[in-house]
Amino acid sequence: MTQQPQAKYRKDYQAPEFTISHIDLTFDLKDKETRVVARSQVKQNLAGATALTLDGEGLKLIRIEVDGQDWSDYRVEESTLTVNGVPSTFELLIETEIDPQANTSLEGLYKSDGAYCTQCEAEGFRRITYYLDRPDVLAKFTTKVIADKEAYPYLLSNGNKIGTGDLENGRHWVQWEDPFAKPCYLFALVAGDFDCLRDNFVTVSGRDVALEIFVDKGNLDRADYAMESLKNSMKWDEERFGLEYDLDIYMIVAVDFFNMGAMENKGLNVFNSKFVLANSKTATDSDYHGIERVIGHEYFHNWSGNRVTCRDWFQLSLKEGLTVFRDQEFSSDLGSRAVNRISNVRKVRSVQFAEDRSPMAHPIRPEKVIEMNNFYTMTVYEKGSEVIRMLHTLLGENTFQKGIQLYFERHDGTAATCDEFIQAMQDASGFDLTQFSLWYSQSGTPELTVVSDYDENAQTLSLTVSQITPPAADQADKQALLIPLDIELYAADGSVIELQRNGEPVHNVLQVTQTEQLFTFDKVTEKPVLSLLREFSAPVHLHYEYSDTELVFLMVHARNEFARWDASQMLLAKHIKENVARIQQGEAFTLPDSIVDAFRGVLLDDNLDRSLIAEVLSLPTEVEVAGWYETIDVDAIESVLESIRKTFAIEMADELSAVYAACKASHYELSHQAAADRRLKNVCLSYLAEVESGEHIVIEQFNSSDNMTDTFAALLAANIALLPSREQMMQSFSDKWHQDGLVMDKWFALQGSSKMQGALNNVKAQMNHPSFSIKNPNRLRSLIGAFVMGNSVNFHAKDGSGYAFLTDILIQLNEINPQIASRLVDPLLKLKYFDEHRQGLIREQLTRLSKIENLANDLFEKVNKALEV
Ligand code: B3K
Ligand code: ZN
């Protein structure tokens, strides 16, 4: 009988009783019976310890030796092996057998199509051998891989190659040595037959690093951008952070079956092929951007994550928040800072804020975890990065970099904590971070309210700023945080009114530290328009009573591009909310001309970056809007968003056509400027698809396009507007690409999100498409993910069919791949934000899930939390 899953608490951390300084692994790779011999140098870490307890799951134990002697004094339990009576220092040999072919969870050692590969973070190494599977045990690894030479000509692992040889029966071996001690979650092994793109990078100190990207045979023409991004990352990290690469080789392998984006294993990154493979025919501009971001992210982990790792998994944000911040800065330095900021802020405001409202709410450093894989969340990653960004805002680039340098100096080669990171930042800057550190322990989204009062006679402006963080599912009591509030004041002519008090200039980043606080500025010669929370200087909900006129003013006059976009979003939010209320009262949708005019003004503004115009004209998603409500009315929200789309399209049809034409290029180019042109052109197209004469433009673009960005944009426009030509275009796309899973993911996502009649039956039918496989996470995320997260009206159908459908799939996935099941269950966790009828239906399905046999920890944790609420 399996045990009820046990929660672990951050407060219970204890150093390990034993540690391992070296491990020498030998893998004899066979599909159903791979043998793993692990020879570890073990050392007592706590005086008197004589029983060594190792983690292990799904392993067949073959033999144990201690110091070369067969050892029989041990106990095997469901997920541990305890070796009794061991000396204080010894060599431990453990031989296990595993079945990579049967491993569909994609954790541990598994087969991805024809290749063997591993995924060990967070706790996958224990599915390979019995080990101290915890990040604070750092060992030097040597790895020998043995396999059939013809089927697996490439045998890869971490570090440098130290030997190769041929064996009998057509087998061969390669041995690797990683000179850097590392936790086992950074271990990797890959064996397969690939095409390899080779290049090199000379580091700032003159070391020549070999760069190798392994892709499926025939895909070499899709690896160039990943290689370019890798070289850019290496250079950028030297220039901006002063960090240099440390091994002689850096390898990336692209695989088709992967649970997330990529994995930063030392010297041997394993990537979801989605974040490696691209050429203009198969990938959109946004795919290219994703590749640059993820290649950068994994590379930056070499320092923030690998050289300095985490003491325990509660500290995950130590490496992830910092590395996301680093990858965001990388993308911003190489591309448009404003557009990157906008897309990151959209993510936080929609998905991360939603997580704060869910039963899974947690601080960026969680306190309690059942399944660690459930905590690779928007909160740990994206809010974690916002916390680092706030530090950057408060300290400024130079002081921030000093802190980072001190952190790496102090902790290089060790497993550190978030507190140690904060301490290094404090020591280097002299800035007291005591209150700031609450961002690590407090969950939920703070509400920041600003009330302004202008005194014309005294020429002063007073801002009363108050903060409150509402209770979250995991934590009721909240304290005041240190919130950096970046502001600017504008005069009616658009000029900036400098912030000052008593003749002294005041910094534009105000430090809000109390529940309520008053900021006064003098020499304010006229009633200003306020630009607040510029650059989204803190991950909070801002409340300020803006008039439409002020927001339109900011859309035109704010100096900062982000602030202009943000004003446009606040304006949209006001009118979305007003209209949702109208629809709920049976009234008609209405949008004042002045609002349409404001957006028209942006559309026609030649001085603006085209990608920024495109962002202004992109409406918030259903998920973001849903987050504004205590009770979500999916139908009203959908109807209002559709009405705004149609109103914009009809009212601005001429201008949209003109801008569409102006953005058209004579030939395809892969540059930021050309991508910005395509972005705006395609946003125009999405509106034009809504007007009568627009369909032929969509068809024309689909037929004449020579690149995936434009092809997909046409298909997307047809899908959203439900054009009669949609069906035929979808068919022709699938005829052309059905053998290419990655390209078909785009098509599956459109099927999943389509609002067509009988949407759910369509999704069910597409699961039988030859390109679909329930075992492939990318396919699942595309089709099922798009349905449950981007098709609210159908997923939340009043008859409960959407919920039952998802639950059926989750029950299958619980066996096949619990990690993916746990990602897809999220929309069901938000039951309390729906009407009672829907709540009842969701609860029924959650209860059904909770009762299935062998419910994996991943689903157990989430489902039970949701049912507790
Ligand atoms: N560190 C990995 C994520 C591992 C997820 C484990 N379920 C990728 C990344 O953040 O770079
Ligand atoms: Zn990461």
Side-chain angles (χ1 to χ4, degrees):
M1 166 92 195
T2 40
Q3 270 184 355
Q4 181 91 334
Q6 295 296 308
K8 283 192 190 141
Y9 293 83
R10 180 171 76 91
K11 62 175 168 39
D12 292 341
Y13 172 83
Q14 281 185 337
E17 294 187 352
F18 290 86
T19 192
I20 297 172
S21 57
H22 287 82
I23 173 168
D24 179 49
L25 288 158
T26 303
F27 287 81
D28 196 359
L29 293 174
K30 297 206 179 116
D31 280 358
K32 290 181 178 311
E33 45 204 27
T34 287
R35 284 286 170 108
V36 183
V37 177
R39 197 183 289 275
S40 304
Q41 308 306 320
V42 188
K43 227 177 31 214
Q44 205 180 58
N45 199 37
L46 176 79
T50 57
L52 167 68
T53 298
L54 302 170
D55 307 292
E57 260 164 45
L59 304 171
K60 183 165 153 196
L61 180 61
I62 307 293
R63 67 189 169 110
I64 301 182
E65 282 177 17
V66 170
D67 285 332
Q69 305 289 314
D70 283 341
W71 205 257
S72 55
D73 188 5
Y74 64 83
R75 197 174 65 248
V76 176
E77 278 168 299
E78 200 184 314
S79 51
T80 55
L81 161 70
T82 303
V83 188
N84 295 312
V86 295
S88 59
T89 309
F90 61 102
E91 181 179 281
L92 174 70
L93 182 146
I94 293 183
E95 183 166 351
T96 45
E97 191 177 291
I98 47 181
D99 181 354
Q101 180 138 65
N103 181 356
T104 55
S105 72
L106 316 186
E107 234 194 328
L109 177 71
Y110 65 94
K111 292 277 306 262
S112 169
D113 282 333
Y116 289 96
C117 72
T118 56
Q119 171 55 36
C120 295
E121 188 177 0
E123 296 176 331
F125 194 73
R126 63 186 62 184
R127 291 162 190 261
I128 294 176
T129 183
Y130 287 104
Y131 195 70
L132 289 172
D133 188 357
R134 44 187 293 166
D136 58 353
V137 171
L138 277 69
K140 289 194 176 159
F141 281 63
T142 49
T143 308
K144 183 172 179 180
V145 191
I146 306 167
D148 183 81
K149 192 168 183 174
E150 203 184 323
Y152 309 100
Y154 289 103
L155 307 177
L156 314 174
S157 191
N158 319 84
N160 303 311
K161 202 186 274 186
I162 54 168
T164 60
D166 286 329
L167 298 166
E168 288 166 5
N169 304 333
R171 294 175 77 76
H172 71 143
W173 62 271
V174 177
Q175 192 168 24
W176 297 82
E177 179 180 43
D178 182 355
F180 292 92
K182 64 169 177 287
C184 62
Y185 82 85
L186 290 172
F187 168 79
L189 174 157
V190 174
D193 192 4
F194 303 101
D195 278 339
C196 179
L197 179 66
R198 296 194 165 81
D199 207 326
N200 74 315
F201 180 83
V202 180
T203 68
V204 65
S205 71
R207 230 158 15 78
D208 199 353
V209 182
L211 309 178
E212 300 186 338
I213 299 185
F214 296 88
V215 297
D216 277 355
K217 292 230 146 213
N219 277 336
L220 216 46
D221 64 332
R222 299 197 203 179
D224 295 326
Y225 193 72
M227 184 62 90
E228 192 183 320
S229 302
L230 176 59
K231 289 191 285 183
N232 287 340
S233 311
M234 297 178 87
K235 188 157 177 287
W236 181 86
D237 215 13
E238 290 180 348
E239 288 173 0
R240 176 90 189 261
F241 277 78
L243 298 170
E244 190 179 343
Y245 188 60
D246 51 11
L247 285 167
D248 300 331
I249 184 164
Y250 193 95
M251 295 174 281
I252 290 176
V253 185
V255 299
D256 288 333
F257 286 72
F258 205 65
N259 279 344
M260 60 266 169
M263 178 64 213
E264 70 264 24
N265 317 299
K266 184 82 189 186
L268 175 57
N269 290 182
V270 178
F271 267 64
N272 186 328
S273 53
K274 175 179 166 57
F275 293 108
V276 174
L277 300 178
N279 65 34
S280 61
K281 303 273 183 283
T282 62
T284 61
D285 292 328
S286 123
D287 293 329
Y288 277 101
H289 189 257
I291 291 171
E292 178 181 83
R293 176 174 63 78
V294 180
I295 293 267
H297 182 95
E298 306 312 329
Y299 175 73
F300 304 139
H301 266 316
N302 189 55
W303 276 94
S304 46
N306 301 3
R307 288 290 287 257
V308 180
T309 192
C310 302
R311 186 193 71 176
D312 55 76
W313 289 121
F314 296 100
Q315 318 294 330
L316 181 62
S317 201
L318 175 73
K319 74 177 178 83
E320 295 305 346
L322 179 55
T323 306
V324 172
F325 172 79
R326 277 152 55 68
D327 84 53
Q328 289 178 354
E329 284 300 291
F330 169 60
S331 297
S332 301
D333 283 348
L334 265 64
S336 156
R337 180 160 286 274
V339 170
N340 276 292
R341 188 67 189 133
I342 288 167
S343 88
N344 297 329
V345 171
R346 278 195 202 271
K347 247 194 262 178
V348 175
R349 282 187 182 150
S350 54
V351 204
Q352 197 282 317
F353 282 7
E355 198 162 83
D356 281 341
R357 305 205 311 158
S358 88
M360 275 293 287
H362 55 277
I364 64 168
R365 182 184 52 200
E367 300 291 347
K368 175 188 173 190
V369 165
I370 291 181
E371 171 52 59
M372 190 54 214
N373 285 323
N374 280 342
F375 287 83
Y376 288 76
T377 57
M378 279 288 164
T379 301
V380 167
Y381 276 63
E382 304 299 322
K383 185 176 178 186
S385 163
E386 292 302 317
V387 170
I388 303 290
R389 187 170 296 283
M390 286 190 282
L391 269 179
H392 186 267
T393 304
L394 290 166
L395 304 181
E397 168 75 1
N398 287 343
T399 310
F400 176 84
Q401 288 294 351
K402 272 192 210 147
I404 294 285
Q405 215 178 341
L406 181 62
Y407 164 68
F408 283 127
E409 269 165 32
R410 268 189 195 166
H411 301 290
D412 189 11
T414 71
T417 62
C418 297
D419 284 338
E420 286 170 328
F421 174 80
I422 298 167
Q423 192 63 51
M425 297 308 283
Q426 172 162 310
D427 292 348
S429 64
F431 192 111
D432 182 350
L433 293 172
T434 315
Q435 188 182 13
F436 184 82
S437 66
L438 284 173
W439 282 104
Y440 282 83
S441 54
Q442 196 156 289
S443 63
T445 313
E447 308 275 339
L448 192 72
T449 305
V450 179
V451 176
S452 68
D453 181 21
Y454 179 64
D455 182 335
E456 202 177 342
N457 294 329
Q459 302 215 318
T460 58
L461 174 77
S462 309
L463 299 183
T464 309
V465 183
S466 51
Q467 60 164 305
I468 178 166
T469 306
D474 65 324
Q475 197 182 50
D477 298 326
K478 308 286 181 183
Q479 297 172 52
L481 295 157
L482 165 51
I483 298 176
L485 173 62
D486 188 341
I487 68 165
E488 197 158 68
L489 309 182
Y490 294 104
D493 64 357
S495 60
V496 175
I497 301 175
E498 300 298 338
L499 299 180
Q500 52 183 301
R501 189 165 44 240
N502 304 331
E504 296 289 328
V506 174
H507 197 280
N508 63 315
V509 177
L510 311 180
Q511 293 181 20
V512 180
T513 54
Q514 286 146 39
T515 311
E516 188 171 304
Q517 212 166 334
L518 185 69
F519 296 89
T520 321
F521 307 99
D522 46 33
K523 301 224 175 62
V524 181
T525 48
E526 60 181 288
K527 184 166 189 239
V529 177
L530 276 56
S531 177
L532 297 169
L533 201 69
R534 295 184 335 138
E535 293 290 332
F536 192 57
S537 56
V540 301
H541 269 299
L542 171 70
H543 301 281
Y544 178 73
E545 290 290 322
Y546 275 117
S547 67
D548 282 6
T549 326
E550 285 174 313
L551 290 171
V552 171
F553 175 94
L554 287 172
M555 280 171 71
V556 179
H557 293 291
R559 279 199 302 183
N560 160 303
E561 290 185 320
F562 178 86
R564 297 170 86 159
W565 168 81
D566 207 15
S568 75
Q569 296 299 298
M570 287 189 265
L571 189 60
L572 280 173
K574 270 184 84 173
H575 289 274
I576 292 171
K577 284 181 196 160
E578 283 171 19
N579 275 298
V580 166
R582 272 189 205 113
I583 303 283
Q584 286 170 333
Q585 276 146 35
E587 293 167 25
F589 170 88
T590 144
L591 194 64
D593 288 346
S594 57
I595 304 305
V596 179
D597 287 342
F599 283 85
R600 192 194 324 270
V602 173
L603 177 63
L604 298 177
D605 188 341
D606 285 337
N607 296 322
L608 285 179
D609 178 347
R610 283 179 168 168
S611 52
L612 186 76
I613 301 178
E615 288 297 340
V616 170
L617 284 160
S618 302
L619 306 183
T621 60
E622 305 168 358
V623 176
E624 184 173 350
V625 177
W628 305 338
Y629 293 95
E630 284 306 308
T631 304
I632 301 166
D633 183 340
V634 283
D635 301 300
I637 291 173
E638 164 74 8
S639 140
V640 168
L641 289 176
E642 190 185 336
S643 299
I644 298 186
R645 239 182 14 245
K646 292 215 153 93
T647 308
F648 276 7
I650 294 166
E651 298 295 322
M652 296 191 258
D654 291 345
E655 294 87 346
L656 287 161
S657 294
V659 175
Y660 177 81
C663 290
K664 256 181 145 173
S666 55
H667 63 282
Y668 176 86
E669 218 184 273
L670 178 68
S671 63
H672 284 291
Q673 187 49 55
D677 290 352
R678 280 190 289 276
R679 175 100 172 86
L680 180 55
K681 177 184 73 178
N682 288 326
V683 166
C684 292
L685 184 70
S686 71
Y687 283 110
L688 289 169
E690 303 281 356
V691 297
E692 230 167 84
S693 57
E695 183 165 15
H696 80 272
I697 309 178
V698 177
I699 298 174
E700 154 67 18
Q701 174 163 325
F702 183 78
N703 290 336
S704 64
S705 161
D706 65 351
N707 66 84
M708 185 50 77
T709 305
D710 287 342
T711 304
F712 181 70
L715 215 47
L716 176 68
N719 194 55
I720 295 178
L722 289 175
L723 297 180
S725 53
R726 171 195 182 274
E727 194 55 40
Q728 212 196 326
M729 285 159 65
M730 290 294 276
Q731 187 59 48
S732 115
F733 189 96
S734 148
D735 289 346
K736 182 163 179 191
W737 296 109
H738 62 97
Q739 265 154 345
D740 192 318
L742 274 188
V743 177
M744 285 303 285
D745 281 337
K746 303 175 193 311
W747 186 91
F748 281 121
L750 293 181
Q751 298 288 14
S753 59
S754 170
K755 311 268 158 84
M756 62 162 67
Q757 284 279 324
L760 175 58
N761 284 334
N762 177 50
V763 171
K764 287 182 181 166
Q766 301 312 337
M767 290 182 74
N768 296 320
H769 191 284
S771 313
F772 186 82
S773 157
I774 197 166
K775 293 200 176 141
N776 186 300
N778 287 0
R779 293 316 89 81
L780 278 168
R781 270 187 288 262
S782 293
L783 183 62
I784 313 300
F787 179 69
V788 302
M789 300 185 198
N791 201 344
S792 301
V793 277
N794 290 300
F795 175 61
H796 292 284
K798 286 199 189 76
D799 61 1
S801 52
Y803 308 143
F805 165 71
L806 175 59
T807 307
D808 290 344
I809 293 182
L810 295 177
I811 292 173
Q812 288 181 62
L813 285 176
N814 181 59
E815 299 292 330
I816 300 173
N817 188 335
Q819 261 188 69
I820 297 298
S822 186
R823 293 271 158 177
L824 292 175
V825 76
D826 282 351
L828 294 179
L829 308 185
K830 301 180 181 136
L831 69 165
K832 79 165 185 184
Y833 297 104
F834 290 90
D835 55 76
E836 276 183 24
H837 170 71
R838 286 182 169 103
Q839 270 190 44
L841 294 168
I842 299 177
R843 190 172 291 277
E844 229 171 75
Q845 298 301 329
L846 286 171
T847 310
R848 188 177 144 216
L849 265 179
S850 73
K851 292 195 175 135
I852 64 173
E853 241 177 82
N854 297 328
L855 185 64
N857 288 2
D858 315 57
L859 281 177
F860 173 91
E861 181 168 41
K862 289 190 175 179
V863 168
N864 280 287
K865 273 191 183 167
L867 284 172
E868 275 163 21
V869 178

